[in-house]
Amino acid sequence: MNSQLRTRIEELINSSPIMVFMKGTKLMPQCGFSNNVVQILNSLGMSFETFDVLSDSQIREGIKDFSNWPPIPQVYVKGEFIGGSDILNEMY
């Protein structure tokens, strides 16, 4: 991954205390796993931002390398990678 893409991903992660890289948006998830994450965070009353990886193929592939975790969605809390839908299910 080039440094420009790494910097862009880091900026996205740090732009919100909770950032979710997902397919679609929090208002219109485009897959069941992304929807699951949104529903969990909404049910907990959490404020969070999302990035639609379907809108940017560089971020879609880059985030997988960045976290060393291929599935999407990916959840970051205060800059720390937490996991995906399965991890949030367990935590919930």
Side-chain angles (χ1 to χ4, degrees):
M1 166 183 325
N2 67 45
S3 62
Q4 184 179 8
L5 180 57
R6 177 172 288 285
T7 299
R8 187 165 169 229
I9 289 171
E10 289 171 346
E11 288 172 352
L12 285 167
I13 290 169
N14 294 318
S15 68
S16 176
I18 301 175
M19 174 58 77
V20 181
F21 292 86
M22 59 181 279
K23 295 176 182 174
T25 66
K26 62 182 166 182
L27 298 177
M28 190 175 280
Q30 298 293 308
C31 83
F33 297 114
S34 294
N35 184 54
N36 185 58
V37 167
V38 167
Q39 295 306 315
I40 289 171
L41 294 172
N42 282 338
S43 74
L44 295 171
M46 305 301 293
S47 176
F48 64 98
E49 296 301 322
T50 62
F51 184 87
D52 180 7
V53 298
L54 298 176
S55 71
D56 189 319
S57 61
Q58 282 190 318
I59 297 291
R60 182 178 184 172
E61 294 308 313
I63 195 66
K64 296 173 186 180
D65 291 336
F66 185 87
S67 64
N68 197 28
W69 182 270
I72 292 180
Q74 293 188 13
V75 180
Y76 288 80
V77 176
K78 296 181 181 176
E80 181 181 345
F81 176 61
I82 300 301
S85 178
D86 54 342
I87 303 297
L88 252 62
N89 267 339
E90 289 180 30
M91 293 173 75
Y92 184 67

